[in-house]
Amino acid sequence: MAGLAESGANPDVSLLYDINGLAQDAPRWLDRTVAYVGEYGLLAAMVLLVVWCWWSVRAKGGRDVAASLAGLVWAPLAAGIAVLVNVPIRGFVQRPRPFRAHQGLDVLVSGKTDFSFVSDHATMTMAVGVGLFVVHRRIGLVGIGLAVAEGFCRVFMGVHYPTDVIGGFALGTAVTLLLSPLASALLTPVMRAVEQSERAGLLIRPGRRSPAEREALLREARTEPGGSEERDLAA
């Protein structure tokens, strides 16, 4: 892959120069802004988006709130797992950063000495965006849009090839969706157990439940749709 990157005829390199060329023509204050946003700002925005989604799901309530919040917890966990999966991928591919193989790039962030494929920033933001989309369509679309913006910024900054970003999008999406059923099976009982707590349950429900509501929730947790008894998740 590194050999392909050295070819001037490679559309990956051509697109890199086209996007990074915008940085060369832009005023320095804009370059500094994009560099900060691409390095830190959009990651912080994804954290705020997760909080917004939690607040929206919690306020809405309903019978499936614990399952929805389990999916929300999974979104940042999936991002972390995807980054760990990327460690051996980077070591195997060993693609140098674009500014090490090509001249004339305007590199907006210094100190990048690791390999380029795939982009951790693109991986994390897309993993969170897709995870949010599973839980809340509207907020998830915002998250995916921020992930796309993150990918653009990484190429604009001269620290990644476009295919590094695309690979990150694919990796983040794959980890989030493929492991989602297992994550839901593990996290949903935990969220339901937390929901039973008098104090910690306020993280899941908007207010304290009355004794009658708590008893009804316990009966629902014990009974399957067919009427058979199930292990008490709140025990």
Side-chain angles (χ1 to χ4, degrees):
M1 184 170 292
L4 288 175
E6 295 171 358
S7 172
N10 183 6
D12 194 23
V13 177
S14 299
L15 188 57
L16 165 68
Y17 275 108
D18 288 341
I19 296 176
N20 182 254
L22 299 175
Q24 298 179 6
D25 298 333
R28 297 313 298 173
W29 66 265
L30 181 58
D31 285 352
R32 289 193 294 269
T33 300
V34 173
Y36 182 82
V37 169
E39 193 73 8
Y40 308 107
L42 287 171
L43 293 179
M46 296 302 289
V47 173
L48 294 177
L49 205 60
V50 170
V51 174
W52 177 27
C53 188
W54 164 78
W55 184 266
S56 299
V57 172
R58 175 180 174 272
K60 184 178 180 181
R63 294 178 58 184
D64 296 330
V65 62
S68 296
L69 289 179
L72 182 59
V73 171
W74 168 238
L77 289 178
I81 292 173
V83 170
L84 291 177
V85 172
N86 189 29
V87 172
I89 294 176
R90 280 193 170 192
F92 177 76
V93 177
Q94 296 186 355
R95 187 185 204 184
R97 294 279 182 172
F99 54 81
R100 293 184 177 275
H102 305 284
Q103 302 296 322
L105 293 175
D106 190 3
V107 183
L108 305 184
V109 178
S110 60
K112 299 292 183 181
T113 59
D114 55 345
F115 294 119
S116 185
F117 186 88
V118 297
S119 167
D120 280 339
H121 283 72
T123 299
M124 288 188 292
T125 51
M126 186 56 76
V128 174
V130 171
L132 290 175
F133 183 79
V134 172
V135 175
H136 194 292
R137 296 291 187 269
R138 179 166 56 89
I139 296 178
L141 286 175
V142 175
I144 292 173
L146 291 178
V148 172
E150 178 69 88
F152 176 84
C153 287
R154 303 308 288 177
V155 181
F156 184 93
M157 293 158 60
V159 296
H160 281 294
Y161 294 97
T163 48
D164 298 337
V165 169
I166 294 172
F169 289 165
L171 177 60
T173 300
V175 169
T176 301
L177 295 182
L178 292 178
L179 297 182
S180 180
L182 176 61
S184 178
L186 295 175
L187 292 174
T188 299
V190 174
M191 292 296 103
R192 286 177 177 160
V194 171
E195 189 178 16
Q196 304 306 313
S197 171
E198 191 68 20
R199 294 183 179 179
L202 294 176
L203 294 171
I204 296 179
R205 59 180 186 271
R208 294 182 181 273
R209 295 187 185 276
S210 67
E213 288 175 327
R214 290 198 298 271
E215 181 62 28
L217 191 61
L218 285 171
R219 287 198 301 269
E220 181 181 337
R222 293 192 187 104
T223 307
E224 295 178 341
S228 60
E229 291 299 313
E230 207 176 35
R231 178 178 173 269
D232 187 355
L233 298 176

